[in-house]
Amino acid sequence: MEDYLFWLLKAATITVFLGIIGTLLVFVFHNIEISPGKLVIRNLNKQYASFTTAFKLAGIKGEKAEEPEKKKTNAFLLTFKGDIAASEVERLRQEVTAILQTAKKKDQVVIQLDSPGGMVHSYGFAASQILRLRENGIPVTVCVDHVAASGGYMMACVANRIVAAPFAVVGSIGVVAQVPNLHKWLKKRDIDYTVYTAGEHKRTLTVLGENTEEGEKKFKERLGEVHELFKNFVTRYREIDIEQVATGETWYGDEALEIGLVDEVKTSDDVLLGLAKDHNLYHFKFVPSKSWAKRMGETAQACVSDAMLQFLSGLHSKEIIKQ
C-alpha cells in the first residue's frame, strides 16, 4: 500500500509541476498571436478509388480501378452538425472563406447538414455563411440525411438545391420560447423579487418576478414578428406555399418533396458519388487551434486521470493476490 501511495504522490508532484510550467508559458506567450487553426483537406476521389482497388485485390469482380484523374471542376464537401447555439458556425465561416479564395464559378459546394435548430440569431448567422457562397456565384447543395428543422431549415433554404434522405426530418418553420416562472414558489417562502427597468418593453417576461398580461402580450407579439421574418426569409430563396408549411410541423423526405421543401430525395452518399465522376471532390474541415493554457490543462488532467486509474488498478490487483 505504501508503494502505491508513494507512486500517487510522485504523479501528483509531476502534475503540479506541469501546471506551473503551463502557467509560465501562458505568461510568456499570452501576447503572441496564435493561428486560429488549420484546414484539413481530404481527396474523396482517391478514397473511392481505394474501395474499388480493395475489391479487386479480394478477387471480387467489378469496375476497373483507375487512378483519379485531374478534372476541370472542383466540388467541396463541408459538414455542419448543429446544436442549440449553432456553435460550429465558427468552423463553417473559416471553411467558406477558404473556398471563396480558391473556387471558380463552375465549382460547387455540398454541405452535409444535420441540425434540429436553436437560437434565431445564431442560425441566422450560420445561414449567412452559406449565402456568402451563393452570392459569389458558387452553387450550393445542402444534403439532409437526418434532420434540418427550424434553424436547420433556415440554413438549408439558402442553398440552390436541397436533397433529403427518404426519412430525413425537414421543416419546423416556426418559433418557440419557453420561460419558466418561479414567482409563486418565491411568494410562498416570503421572498420578494423586483425587476427595475428603463424602457417600456426592456423586460417583457421574467423568471423570478410576476409576469403581467401586458408583458405576455408584447412577448407573443415579438414571437409573431420573428415568425414573419422566418417566413419571409424562406420565401426569398424557395418558391413555396409558405402558409402551408410555416405551421411549425415537420415532414419526412418524400413528403417534403411533395410540398416543395426539398428538391430531391436521395442520400448524401449518392450525391457525392455522382459528383466524383466528373469533379475533383475534396472534403474541407477547419480544425481550430488550442491555446497553451488549454493544452497544458488537458495534459495535467490526463496525468491525474492516468495516475488515479493505475493506482486503483494496482489496489484491485493487490486484493486479488491476497485472496
Coordinates of all heavy atoms in Angstrom, one line a residue, residues 39 77-80 88 90-100 132-133 283-287:
L39 N -6.5 24.0 -41.8 CA -7.5 23.5 -42.8 C -7.1 22.1 -43.2 O -6.0 21.9 -43.8 CB -7.7 24.4 -44.0 CG -8.8 24.1 -44.9 CD1 -10.2 24.3 -44.2 CD2 -8.8 25.0 -46.2
L77 N -16.8 19.5 -50.1 CA -17.7 19.0 -49.1 C -17.4 19.6 -47.8 O -16.3 19.6 -47.3 CB -17.6 17.4 -49.0 CG -18.3 16.8 -47.9 CD1 -19.8 16.9 -48.0 CD2 -18.0 15.3 -47.7
L78 N -18.5 20.1 -47.2 CA -18.4 20.7 -45.8 C -19.5 19.9 -45.0 O -20.5 19.4 -45.5 CB -18.8 22.2 -45.8 CG -18.0 23.1 -46.7 CD1 -18.4 24.5 -46.6 CD2 -16.5 23.0 -46.4
T79 N -19.3 19.9 -43.7 CA -20.2 19.2 -42.8 C -20.6 20.2 -41.7 O -19.8 21.0 -41.2 CB -19.7 17.9 -42.1 OG1 -18.5 18.3 -41.4 CG2 -19.3 16.9 -43.2
F80 N -21.9 20.1 -41.3 CA -22.3 21.0 -40.2 C -23.3 20.2 -39.3 O -24.3 19.8 -39.8 CB -23.0 22.3 -40.7 CG -23.4 23.3 -39.7 CD1 -22.6 24.3 -39.3 CD2 -24.6 23.1 -39.0 CE1 -22.9 25.2 -38.4 CE2 -25.0 24.0 -38.0 CZ -24.1 25.1 -37.7
E88 N -20.9 25.4 -34.3 CA -20.0 25.0 -35.4 C -19.9 26.1 -36.5 O -19.1 26.0 -37.5 CB -20.4 23.7 -36.1 CG -20.0 22.5 -35.2 CD -19.9 21.2 -36.1 OE1 -20.1 21.3 -37.3 OE2 -19.7 20.2 -35.5
E90 N -18.4 28.9 -36.3 CA -17.1 29.4 -36.3 C -16.2 28.6 -37.2 O -15.3 29.2 -37.9 CB -16.5 29.4 -34.8 CG -17.2 30.4 -33.9 CD -17.3 31.8 -34.4 OE1 -16.2 32.3 -34.9 OE2 -18.3 32.5 -34.3
R91 N -16.4 27.3 -37.2 CA -15.7 26.5 -38.2 C -16.1 26.7 -39.6 O -15.3 26.8 -40.5 CB -15.8 25.0 -37.8 CG -15.0 24.0 -38.6 CD -15.0 22.7 -38.0 NE -16.3 22.1 -37.8 CZ -16.9 21.4 -38.8 NH1 -16.4 21.4 -40.0 NH2 -18.1 20.9 -38.6
L92 N -17.5 26.8 -39.8 CA -18.1 27.0 -41.1 C -17.6 28.2 -41.8 O -17.3 28.3 -43.0 CB -19.6 27.0 -41.0 CG -20.4 27.2 -42.3 CD1 -20.1 26.0 -43.2 CD2 -21.9 27.3 -42.0
R93 N -17.5 29.3 -41.0 CA -17.1 30.6 -41.6 C -15.7 30.5 -42.1 O -15.4 31.1 -43.2 CB -17.3 31.7 -40.6 CG -16.3 31.7 -39.4 CD -16.7 32.6 -38.3 NE -16.8 34.0 -38.7 CZ -16.8 35.0 -37.8 NH1 -16.9 34.7 -36.5 NH2 -16.8 36.2 -38.2
Q94 N -14.8 29.8 -41.4 CA -13.4 29.7 -41.9 C -13.3 28.8 -43.2 O -12.6 29.1 -44.1 CB -12.5 29.0 -40.8 CG -12.4 29.8 -39.5 CD -11.6 31.1 -39.7 OE1 -10.9 31.3 -40.7 NE2 -11.6 32.0 -38.7
E95 N -14.2 27.8 -43.2 CA -14.2 26.9 -44.4 C -14.7 27.6 -45.6 O -14.2 27.5 -46.7 CB -15.0 25.7 -44.1 CG -14.4 24.7 -43.0 CD -15.4 23.7 -42.4 OE1 -16.6 23.8 -42.7 OE2 -14.9 22.9 -41.7
V96 N -15.8 28.4 -45.4 CA -16.3 29.2 -46.5 C -15.3 30.2 -47.0 O -15.1 30.4 -48.3 CB -17.6 29.9 -46.1 CG1 -18.1 30.9 -47.1 CG2 -18.7 28.8 -45.8
T97 N -14.6 30.9 -46.1 CA -13.6 31.8 -46.5 C -12.5 31.2 -47.3 O -12.1 31.7 -48.4 CB -13.0 32.5 -45.3 OG1 -14.0 33.2 -44.6 CG2 -11.9 33.5 -45.7
A98 N -12.1 30.0 -46.9 CA -11.1 29.3 -47.7 C -11.5 28.9 -49.1 O -10.8 29.1 -50.1 CB -10.7 28.0 -46.9
I99 N -12.8 28.5 -49.2 CA -13.3 28.1 -50.5 C -13.4 29.3 -51.4 O -13.1 29.3 -52.6 CB -14.7 27.4 -50.4 CG1 -14.5 26.0 -49.7 CG2 -15.4 27.3 -51.7 CD1 -15.8 25.3 -49.4
L100 N -13.9 30.4 -50.9 CA -14.0 31.6 -51.7 C -12.7 32.2 -52.2 O -12.7 32.9 -53.3 CB -14.7 32.7 -50.9 CG -16.2 32.5 -50.6 CD1 -16.8 33.6 -49.7 CD2 -17.0 32.4 -51.9
R132 N -23.0 33.5 -48.4 CA -21.8 34.1 -48.9 C -21.3 33.3 -50.2 O -20.9 33.9 -51.2 CB -20.7 34.0 -47.9 CG -20.8 34.9 -46.7 CD -19.7 34.6 -45.7 NE -18.4 34.9 -46.2 CZ -17.3 34.4 -45.7 NH1 -17.4 33.6 -44.6 NH2 -16.1 34.7 -46.2
L133 N -21.5 32.0 -50.2 CA -21.1 31.2 -51.3 C -22.1 31.5 -52.5 O -21.6 31.7 -53.6 CB -21.2 29.7 -50.9 CG -20.2 29.2 -49.9 CD1 -20.6 27.8 -49.4 CD2 -18.8 29.1 -50.5
H283 N -12.9 17.1 -49.3 CA -13.6 17.4 -48.0 C -12.8 18.4 -47.3 O -11.6 18.2 -46.9 CB -13.7 16.1 -47.2 CG -14.4 16.3 -45.9 ND1 -14.3 15.4 -44.8 CD2 -15.2 17.2 -45.4 CE1 -15.0 15.8 -43.8 NE2 -15.6 16.9 -44.1
F284 N -13.4 19.6 -47.0 CA -12.7 20.6 -46.3 C -13.2 20.6 -44.8 O -14.4 20.5 -44.5 CB -13.1 22.0 -46.8 CG -12.2 22.5 -47.9 CD1 -11.6 21.6 -48.8 CD2 -11.9 23.8 -48.1 CE1 -10.8 22.0 -49.9 CE2 -11.1 24.3 -49.1 CZ -10.5 23.4 -50.0
K285 N -12.2 20.6 -43.9 CA -12.6 20.7 -42.5 C -11.6 21.6 -41.8 O -10.4 21.4 -41.8 CB -12.6 19.3 -41.8 CG -13.0 19.4 -40.3 CD -13.2 18.0 -39.7 CE -13.7 18.1 -38.3 NZ -13.9 16.8 -37.7
F286 N -12.1 22.7 -41.1 CA -11.2 23.6 -40.4 C -11.1 23.1 -38.9 O -12.2 22.8 -38.3 CB -11.8 25.0 -40.4 CG -11.0 26.0 -39.6 CD1 -9.8 26.5 -40.2 CD2 -11.3 26.4 -38.4 CE1 -9.0 27.4 -39.5 CE2 -10.6 27.3 -37.7 CZ -9.4 27.8 -38.2
V287 N -9.9 22.9 -38.4 CA -9.7 22.5 -37.1 C -9.1 23.6 -36.3 O -7.9 24.0 -36.5 CB -8.7 21.3 -37.0 CG1 -8.5 20.8 -35.6 CG2 -9.2 20.1 -37.9

